Amino acid sequence: MRAGSRARGRLPTDAADFPLVGRLQAHLEAIYGFRCEARAEAFVVVDAEVAALLGGTGRAPEELLVLEARGDLEVALYLDPALRERMGRYAGSPLASVLDGDLDGYCQVTEGVSHFLYVAHTAHLERTVSLLELEAQAEVDKFVVCLLHRWGEGVAGWARELLPRLFDRVAYQPLLSVEERWRYEEANRLSRRFCTRLMPHVLDRRLDRLLGDLRYAYRLGAEAKLRHFAHGG
């Protein structure tokens, strides 16, 4: 998949209808130290039939749908109504409260926003991005977003709980192809190794070092990122 010069929304929606998407994008932008002109909430699609017409598989409650045409990327972020309803219960609440109420749903929305932001970022740089790179970055993003909601006293215990919850207690869609299953498992393996290497910064509460490592890795492209996740250096 080659990211072109700009990304455009297929079906703009009311951003106020699902404010969590905008809050998550702002959080990720703060973590990685940049702002994306494209806003994910303007690209959200909620109709399953429309998502299918745009290439959605219907196998997941969130999917980033991407179509390249003449140097542009046509993008839509599908979030199914059930997921939106679950997350809508926390509208106006501190984001940290979702971690206790519906961590799985929150991570699903985070994954979709992560995919959107990373595709938009690579499109701006006119850089190639692989599906494995996209999935591995999303796994890191889920861990870090959830971790930083509880940065402060007690973060060490939360981090030790979060790491196995996100990376070890996982299940995959039964209808995945062999190639798809491998990609998700490999993304899990690579991102877990990277997040494990971040743990000393978390345990010592060195936020500057944590953000520095995250931002360095985020800006690596393609195979360099995957090598870094796997081995560091």
Side-chain angles (χ1 to χ4, degrees):
M1 181 169 56
R2 176 72 180 176
S5 59
R6 56 196 176 99
R8 301 183 300 186
R10 297 297 299 260
L11 293 173
T13 61
D14 182 5
D17 189 41
F18 199 33
L20 179 60
V21 169
R23 295 168 72 183
L24 272 167
Q25 181 170 348
H27 193 187
L28 285 168
E29 289 170 336
I31 290 169
Y32 292 112
F34 72 94
R35 177 173 170 80
C36 176
E37 180 181 350
R39 310 312 296 171
E41 61 263 34
F43 293 72
V44 172
V45 169
V46 297
D47 189 304
E49 293 184 2
V50 173
L53 291 173
L54 299 176
T57 66
R59 295 195 306 239
E62 61 77 26
E63 285 189 279
L64 184 70
L65 312 174
V66 180
L67 175 65
E68 183 180 3
R70 299 180 182 179
D72 289 333
L73 292 182
E74 298 285 356
V75 179
L77 176 57
Y78 173 66
L79 300 172
D80 78 16
L83 178 60
R84 288 163 57 86
E85 182 179 355
R86 285 163 59 186
M87 292 296 98
R89 298 168 189 162
Y90 302 94
S93 302
L95 290 179
S97 68
V98 189
L99 304 181
D100 294 322
D102 195 342
L103 179 64
D104 180 63
Y106 187 63
C107 284
Q108 289 173 5
V109 180
T110 302
E111 183 170 359
V113 176
S114 168
H115 287 338
F116 173 87
L117 186 61
Y118 198 67
V119 165
H121 178 68
T122 54
H124 176 72
L125 298 176
E126 299 187 11
R127 199 179 72 199
T128 298
V129 57
S130 70
L131 292 174
L132 177 57
E133 178 187 355
L134 193 69
E135 294 297 341
Q137 184 63 57
E139 294 301 307
V140 172
D141 289 351
K142 288 187 288 186
F143 175 73
V144 176
V145 164
C146 293
L147 175 73
L148 290 178
H149 284 323
R150 288 182 173 164
W151 188 264
E153 188 173 355
V155 69
W158 171 234
R160 291 190 182 100
E161 174 188 346
L162 188 62
L163 195 70
R165 285 183 69 178
L166 294 187
F167 294 104
D168 299 338
R169 303 170 200 168
V170 297
Y172 299 100
Q173 292 286 341
L175 298 179
L176 293 176
S177 68
V178 172
E179 180 181 356
E180 289 170 328
R181 176 68 179 246
W182 174 86
R183 184 169 65 245
Y184 285 115
E185 289 179 340
E186 183 68 359
N188 179 284
R189 184 186 73 85
L190 293 171
S191 54
R192 193 193 199 289
R193 293 195 66 171
F194 178 61
C195 290
T196 299
R197 294 205 312 274
L198 298 174
M199 286 293 285
H201 300 329
V202 177
L203 301 181
D204 293 337
R205 297 184 61 184
R206 296 181 296 192
L207 183 58
D208 56 337
R209 297 287 300 277
L210 176 66
L211 292 177
D213 281 2
L214 286 167
R215 291 171 181 179
Y216 173 78
Y218 196 87
R219 287 160 174 78
L220 293 174
E223 293 302 318
K225 178 189 291 286
L226 299 178
R227 288 194 302 269
H228 184 72
F229 280 4
H231 306 297

